[in-house]
């Protein structure tokens, strides 16, 4: 067991500031996830403290001493955040909240799970306060709710139970399972925002496919994404699995691909031919891809989370687009468009930002794009790649991973090598253009603008200006135009052609 919790602090200055600013008789405890993770040997950059007395005063003075940002998150419930920098400029959040109950034992008893109901007095970092035996539960790999009313007291804990069980590889004890089942229908009583945030923590964690299956088993997934549970038993011949199982498999392959190509490489990750080829074709961009998937889109949510939500929703339009032709073959023509509409509605219902809503809708609408490029059987040139990124922007990177996972979810390791290599080749060209040839292919610098066109050709403002500029940019992306003179010649040709019409 860890001998001292001093190592969890970003720097000795943080601990010194906390101790210095405590008023006589005031207590401050390190609680929850950071204590749990320290016992597991895991890093945690979010430190939670419960404080007796004046929470705001303590947090504000600590922020001032550290030169850190401070703000109140909830004035009514006395919760404050200090955002400070640790080693290597890493950001740490120090969250302060008021002690609930008469003492720390009462506060811990009201928490969600025993593994989160441990505390350390900042004046005594060698002793764990553990009235519910959370340390033993961690050792036994057990998830145990603190009380029979834990889930009813806060229904978001229903989702948190699944997240902890999967992420920390814990087994729920029988009482916790029964209490969870009894309270599962209460999830809608919590705010949509809190449901969303906890669900995204699942999407951005490990074993997303397993977590989704467990959510479904407890009846929770239907309350969050009813469009996905509706895919059960939706057959898609000639494939053996239904749309639900295909969706779960897509999540699994997506995680494998990201872990293979956007994380530290270990040889065993590419042990089979399918993943070995993926590493061979796309492993060059590991560092860039890692940074890409870690990008925050909004506070608390990253590119990765939105991609996994898109993967969950990418085939939700299939039930509404099923047709059977005269030969008895099943088709889902246009399902990507209906799926995109469904995805947008769900993103709006989850109160996602407009940026996220548009990104998820785009990924779902375009999820067949690379399949169709591969199926065409022709070489992918600069023009087609320019058009690809013109339509997808940065999400075109995510689309590579969604497309590859979608393909493997159908055929897995039995996929024909020629087909797999074709899709990998296209994705390599796409990533190469974005990471190595951005200024040449994806977003070439403008040679002329609208004012140039109007002045040179005596044109008036109107749609023609935009049409000409778009055409010039495409020819630049295709490598056909490199100078202003060439751009003006093309503009003249387009004007002459329009006049002739």
């Amino acid at each position: 067991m860890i001998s001292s919790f001093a190592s969890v602090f970003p720097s000795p200055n943080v601990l010194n500031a906390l101790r210095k600013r405590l008023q006589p008789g005031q207590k401050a405890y390190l609680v929850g996830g950071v204590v749990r993770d320290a016992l597991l040997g895991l890093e945690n950059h979010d430190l939670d403290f419960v404080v007796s007395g004046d929470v705001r005063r303590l947090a504000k003075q600590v922020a001032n001493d550290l030169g850190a940002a401070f703000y109140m998150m909830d004035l009514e419930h006395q919760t404050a955040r200090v955002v400070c920098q640790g080693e290597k400029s890493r950001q740490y959040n120090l969250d302060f909240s008021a002690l609930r109950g008469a003492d720390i034992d009462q506060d811990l008893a009201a928490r969600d799970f025993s593994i989160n109901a441990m505390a350390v007095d900042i004046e005594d970092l060698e002793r764990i306060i553990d009235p519910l035996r959370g340390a033993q539960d961690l050792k036994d790999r057990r998830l145990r709710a603190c009380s029979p009313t834990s889930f009813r007291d806060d229904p978001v804990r229903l989702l948190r139970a699944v997240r902890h069980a999967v992420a920390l590889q814990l087994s729920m004890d029988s009482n916790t399972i029964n209490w969870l089942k009894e309270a599962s229908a209460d999830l809608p009583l919590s705010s949509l925002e809190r449901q969303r945030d906890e669900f995204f923590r699942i999407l951005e964690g490990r074993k997303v496919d397993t977590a989704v299956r467990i959510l479904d088993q407890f009846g929770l997934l239907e309350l969050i994404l009813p469009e996905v549970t509706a895919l059960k038993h939706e057959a898609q011949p000639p494939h053996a699995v239904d749309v639900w199982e295909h969706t779960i498999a897509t999540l699994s392959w997506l995680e494998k691909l990201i872990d293979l190509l956007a994380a530290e490489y270990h040889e065993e990750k590419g042990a089979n031919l399918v993943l070995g080829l993926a590493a061979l074709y796309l492993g060059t961009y590991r560092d860039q891809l890692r940074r890409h998937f870690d990008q925050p889109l909004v506070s608390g949510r990253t590119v990765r989370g939105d991609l996994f939500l898109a993967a969950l929703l990418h085939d939700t339009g299939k039930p509404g687009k099923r047709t059977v032709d005269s030969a008895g073959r099943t088709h889902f023509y246009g399902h990507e468009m209906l799926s995109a509409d469904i995805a947008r509605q769900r993103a709006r219902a989850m109160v996602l930002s407009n940026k996220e809503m548009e990104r998820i809708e785009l990924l779902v609408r375009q999820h067949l794009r690379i399949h169709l490029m591969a199926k065409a059987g022709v070489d992918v040139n600069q023009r087609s790649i320019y058009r690809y990124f013109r339509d997808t922007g940065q999400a075109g990177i995510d689309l590579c991973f969604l497309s590859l996972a979608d393909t493997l979810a159908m055929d897995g390791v039995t996929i024909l090598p020629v087909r797999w290599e074709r899709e990998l080749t296209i994705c390599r060209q796409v990533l190469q253009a974005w990471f190595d040839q951005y200024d040449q292919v994806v977003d070439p610098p403008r040679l002329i603008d609208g004012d140039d066109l109007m002045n040179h050709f005596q044109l008036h403002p109107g749609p023609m200006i935009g049409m000409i500029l778009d055409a010039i940019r495409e020819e630049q992306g295709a490598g056909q135009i490199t100078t202003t003179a060439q751009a003006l010649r093309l503009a003249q040709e387009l004007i002459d052609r329009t006049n002739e019409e």
Side-chain angles (χ1 to χ4, degrees):
M1 181 176 288
I2 187 170
S3 59
S4 173
F5 284 81
S7 60
V8 306
F9 288 85
S11 74
N13 293 337
V14 174
L15 181 57
N16 293 337
L18 276 164
R19 288 173 169 173
K20 171 185 171 185
R21 291 301 181 179
L22 287 176
Q23 293 183 322
Q26 188 175 28
K27 302 290 288 184
Y29 303 90
L30 191 64
V31 296
V34 68
V35 179
R36 176 200 70 219
D37 289 349
L39 293 176
L40 292 171
L42 303 174
E43 286 190 16
N44 192 325
H45 301 146
D46 295 322
L47 278 62
D48 293 324
F49 301 92
V50 295
V51 180
S52 64
D54 191 335
V55 174
R56 186 182 187 281
R57 183 203 62 81
L58 176 63
K60 178 67 172 173
Q61 290 183 341
V62 168
N64 290 340
D65 288 350
L66 298 173
F70 162 85
Y71 60 93
M72 292 297 296
M73 295 192 292
D74 188 333
L75 190 59
E76 179 183 355
H77 295 95
Q78 287 291 290
T79 58
R81 172 166 290 179
V82 174
V83 182
C84 64
Q85 298 295 322
E87 296 178 355
K88 300 179 181 178
S89 300
R90 181 170 285 168
Q91 178 176 299
Y92 281 74
N93 294 326
L94 312 178
D95 288 347
F96 297 79
S97 59
L99 184 71
R100 296 173 293 180
D103 56 26
I104 187 61
D105 282 5
Q106 287 189 15
D107 182 286
L108 296 176
R111 292 181 177 267
D112 49 10
F113 308 105
S114 64
I115 62 169
N116 295 331
M118 296 180 282
V120 176
D121 190 329
I122 67 165
E123 300 284 13
D124 182 5
L125 296 179
E126 282 71 44
R127 185 177 71 89
I128 300 176
I129 302 168
D130 185 14
L132 297 179
R133 297 176 288 106
Q136 186 62 46
D137 283 337
L138 272 183
K139 184 177 180 180
D140 296 338
R141 315 304 298 179
R142 178 172 54 237
L143 184 68
R144 183 166 54 89
C146 288
S147 77
T149 63
S150 284
F151 297 116
R152 295 201 182 277
D153 291 342
D154 183 358
V156 167
R157 292 171 175 174
L158 297 160
L159 303 181
R160 195 175 304 149
V162 175
R163 175 166 64 88
H164 284 331
V166 174
L168 302 176
Q169 300 180 48
L170 307 176
S171 297
M172 297 183 201
D173 77 323
S174 58
N175 283 335
T176 299
I177 290 174
N178 290 334
W179 296 336
L180 194 157
K181 288 179 178 177
E182 291 169 1
S184 61
D186 291 347
L187 182 61
L189 299 178
S190 58
S191 73
L192 284 171
E193 290 84 357
R194 293 188 67 224
Q195 292 179 49
R196 173 203 64 202
D197 292 347
E198 193 62 52
F199 184 59
F200 263 82
R201 291 187 184 100
I202 291 173
L203 296 181
E204 298 192 3
R206 309 286 296 185
K207 300 289 184 184
V208 179
D209 59 322
T210 301
V212 169
R213 283 194 186 279
I214 296 173
L215 288 172
D216 178 59
Q217 290 167 6
F218 284 122
L220 298 171
L221 186 65
E222 186 174 8
L223 300 174
I224 304 169
L225 296 176
E227 310 89 341
V228 177
T229 57
L231 301 177
K232 293 179 181 179
H233 313 301
E234 182 68 33
Q236 46 181 358
H239 303 290
V241 299
D242 61 18
V243 184
W244 160 258
E245 290 296 338
H246 167 75
T247 299
I248 298 298
T250 300
L251 297 177
S252 176
W253 281 111
L254 182 58
E255 186 168 341
K256 287 184 176 76
L257 288 166
I258 293 177
D259 194 39
L260 174 75
L261 299 169
E264 184 177 349
Y265 181 69
H266 298 288
E267 190 172 345
E268 63 272 15
K269 291 181 181 179
N272 63 56
L273 178 61
V274 165
L275 293 178
L277 281 173
L280 178 66
Y281 274 77
L282 306 177
T284 304
Y285 301 103
R286 185 175 312 280
D287 291 340
Q288 296 97 316
L289 289 169
R290 182 188 297 116
R291 289 192 294 271
H292 170 78
F293 285 115
D294 286 343
Q295 285 182 89
L297 289 174
V298 297
S299 177
R301 296 194 293 279
T302 66
V303 166
R304 179 187 173 114
D306 279 10
L307 174 55
F308 273 88
L309 181 56
L312 269 167
L313 298 168
H314 81 281
D315 275 348
T316 48
K318 278 189 171 179
K321 287 293 184 178
R322 168 185 287 275
T323 59
V324 180
D325 65 20
S326 58
R329 292 185 293 263
T330 300
H331 303 283
F332 299 99
Y333 296 129
H335 80 272
E336 70 279 12
M337 304 305 292
L338 180 56
S339 298
D341 290 341
I342 293 170
R344 185 175 187 85
Q345 292 168 15
R346 178 50 51 192
R348 183 181 292 112
M350 296 177 88
V351 201
L352 297 182
S353 67
N354 288 336
K355 180 179 180 180
E356 293 173 287
M357 194 183 311
E358 291 167 3
R359 191 185 191 98
I360 291 166
E361 180 186 14
L362 184 149
L363 286 169
V364 174
R365 187 175 65 248
Q366 296 278 358
H367 79 266
L368 299 178
R369 180 93 174 234
I370 288 176
H371 301 336
L372 296 174
M373 291 166 72
K375 196 173 183 180
V378 298
D379 290 338
V380 174
N381 55 30
Q382 282 188 214
R383 186 183 304 278
S384 58
I385 292 175
Y386 170 83
R387 289 176 175 174
Y388 175 87
F389 281 116
R390 177 197 64 195
D391 296 340
T392 65
Q394 188 190 49
I397 300 172
D398 304 356
L399 195 58
C400 287
F401 282 77
L402 178 56
S403 298
L404 294 174
D406 188 31
T407 294
L408 291 176
M410 284 295 187
D411 299 307
V413 295
T414 65
I415 189 171
L416 292 173
V418 65
R419 181 183 171 207
W420 183 232
E421 289 186 46
R422 176 65 179 160
E423 292 218 3
L424 287 172
T425 297
I426 293 171
C427 289
R428 180 172 61 187
Q429 291 176 281
V430 165
L431 296 182
Q432 182 180 38
W434 184 270
F435 291 123
D436 296 337
Q437 303 168 312
Y438 188 87
D439 292 337
Q440 293 79 41
V441 180
V442 179
D443 188 22
R446 289 191 179 275
L447 296 172
I448 58 176
D449 60 23
D451 289 337
D452 295 329
L453 286 177
M454 289 187 287
N455 292 333
H456 190 85
F457 296 105
Q458 302 302 304
L459 297 174
H460 299 291
M464 178 184 288
I465 301 296
M467 181 271 293
I468 294 173
L469 292 175
D470 289 344
I472 291 171
R473 296 268 289 167
E474 180 172 322
E475 294 305 311
Q476 284 183 261
Q480 301 301 305
I481 283 181
T482 59
T483 68
T484 301
Q486 290 173 324
L488 290 171
R489 278 200 296 273
L490 176 58
Q492 184 66 68
E493 292 173 10
L494 292 171
I495 292 168
D496 291 344
R497 192 180 306 160
T498 301
N499 289 337
E500 290 174 1
E501 295 173 355

